Each structure stands twice: as C-alpha cells, then as structure tokens.
Amino acid sequence: MAVALDDLDRKILSELQKDAEQSLDEIARRVGSSKTPVWNRIRKMKDMGVIARTTAILDPEALGLEACFFVLIRTSEHEADWQRKFLKALKERPEVMEAHRLAGDIDYILKVRVKNARAYDQFYQALISEVRIYNVTALLSMEEIKSTTTLPL
Amino acid sequence: MAVALDDLDRKILSELQKDAEQSLDEIARRVGSSKTPVWNRIRKMKDMGVIARTTAILDPEALGLEACFFVLIRTSEHEADWQRKFLKALKERPEVMEAHRLAGDIDYILKVRVKNARAYDQFYQALISEVRIYNVTALLSMEEIKSTTTLPL
DNA sequence: CGTGAAAGTTTACGCAA
DNA sequence: TTGCGTAAACTTTCACG
C-alpha cells in the first residue's frame, strides 16, 4: 500500500496540505520546479490515491458545535453480526468524526462533535438503544490544544 | 463566536466539505442558485472564518504512516509554567495530530500518527524527557473504522 | 439581490527536446 | 522527464434588471 515518493513529491504534498487553493504556478515556484512536472505529479498522486480528496476545513465553534467528546467503549459481544450493526450505526451518524477499533482492554474509541452536552446525551441514548454495549466512558474536551489534518511527511 | 447561516450557506458548506475543487458553476447548480450569490457567500464565510482553509486530505497508509495511537495522559503538575512547556512540546511535534485538555480524571488526550510502534516509542521517550508526566496509557488503533473532516451541518 | 457578460487567470494537455 | 505554448475553462468583477 505504501508508495515511493521523492523529495519533490513530498514538497508538493506539503504545499497542498497547507493550502490547496494555490495555483500551479505558485506551488511550482515554492517547490523550485515548474508547472508541467508539478501538474503531472499531482495527477499521479491523485490517481494512486495518495491525495484522497480536497476539502474545506470549517471552524466548529463558528457553526455552534461547541462540544467534543472522546468515547471509550468496551463490549461483551464479539460476534460478526453485532459488529456489523455497531459499525453501521457509527458510519451513519454524522456527529461521529472518528471511530477506531483498538487493541487491548478498551475495544473502541470515538470522537464525537455536538452542539452541547445535551446533544451528546441524545447521541449516547440513541447508540445504546441500537446496540448492546458493556461499558462506556465519555471524556469531555475542555480545550482543543491542537487539531491538524497535516500529516508529517 | 457562532454565526448566523441560512439554508443556502449550509448547502454551500456541505458541497465544499465534500469536494473543494468543484467549480463555482457546479456548486451553484447543486445548491440551486447561481454563480454570483454563491461566490459572495463563500467569500463572506472565508472572511468570517467559518471556512478556515482548504486542504488536501492524504492517505496515511500510502505515506507509510501505518500506526495510530490515542494517548491518555495524567499529570501531577498543574502550574502555568509546566503547562506552557507541555503545550509547546505538543504543538511542535508533527506526529501529534490532535491534542485536547479534558475535564475529569484524565488530563489530556492525544492522537498520534507514526510509521510504526518503534516510532511511537521514540515519540513517547522524547515527550517524557521534555516534561514530567504522572501516568500515560497508549491505545493502539487496529482499524480506522471512520475518519471524516466533514462537520454535521 | 440575482443575472449575464466581460476581462483576466489558470488549467490541462499536446508537442518538442 | 521537463519546458513551452495554447485552447478551453474558470474566477472575479461590474453594470443592469
């Protein structure tokens, strides 16, 4: 799955992560190359799936999404059918920003963005009514110290 | 901090979150409006900071970043000076994708993206040598079930 | 406030080296 | 692979309905 990228590819990706709206000429200038090679490389990396998509990053506070919870989940159920239902529920809920299956003691972690604590409770009630869960711990974020989509290259 | 957005604004944001490279004409068509109003609204939302930036989303696996850890941190230190040093360390380390200060028992949670477990251990050793930490639990992600930057509108 | 068109940029690609 | 040149497409502004 990993792909061979040279130094120029990495510089281009770094620029696109900083600001995907820069023109080709601008990017070319910054990475010390010119339009055609930059364009060819960008296209190749899109085709290969290194660049998945380009998106607008919005400010959650400005949209009134002021609460962020990390949810640690333990389950007693490990059958395929239960898991399918649980994953489906997570994928369908837009307030679930991230969901990971974990190694060890805790089975799943979620990151959930909502308007306020009440909205979180509604989400929680809906989730446990859809699937059986053994134990849930919610961690409330007081302050987002850092949040980046910029992967280290 | 929250901003008044109407239905058309929300539709535009939703399109930009799906794909920020769509042309104005395309977006206008999808949201049932036309170029100029869409352009005016996008500019206003950028000025107001609702749209923070636009960025390329890369595939971490394709870049060889195959390990993702959630790190739960408890500290005994709560002085301003310690905190300043700790936050600075987090902001400077590119492998820290997210960092939140929490309410309750656990003080901080981090999301850390690295090449492998060895790279995580290097990060961990470096961090604890920079600042005193009372207790750390690392949760290793086995599977990224969901990961989105698309906020619920 | 929306429509349409005009002017200036940028992209996307062919072709030569 | 890169660099140049260009047609087509897109962005941005503005005058008018």
Side-chain angles (χ1 to χ4, degrees), chain A residues 34-37 40-41:
Chain A
S34 60
K35 260 188 336 189
T36 312
N40 286 331
R41 281 155 185 266

Side-chain angles (χ1 to χ4, degrees), chain A residues 31-86:
Chain A
V31 303
S33 180
S34 60
K35 260 188 336 189
T36 312
V38 171
W39 191 79
N40 286 331
R41 281 155 185 266
I42 290 175
R43 194 162 55 144
K44 203 171 84 198
M45 290 191 285
K46 281 185 179 165
D47 288 348
M48 291 191 309
V50 176
I51 301 171
R53 61 208 193 83
T54 113
T55 190
I57 302 294
L58 310 185
D59 177 356
E61 309 273 319
L63 292 162
L65 294 167
E66 302 195 337
C68 178
F69 289 84
F70 288 87
V71 185
L72 308 179
I73 294 175
R74 266 179 264 240
T75 175
S76 40
E77 319 246 354
H78 293 281
E79 299 108 59
D81 194 52
W82 177 90
Q83 204 188 34
R84 198 167 333 109
K85 250 174 88 184
F86 179 60

Side-chain angles (χ1 to χ4, degrees), chain B residues 5-19:
Chain B
L5 300 173
D6 67 13
D7 201 51
L8 182 55
D9 289 325
R10 280 169 207 281
K11 281 189 193 156
I12 294 168
L13 290 177
S14 168
E15 288 302 323
L16 290 176
Q17 289 197 112
K18 267 195 222 121
D19 178 3

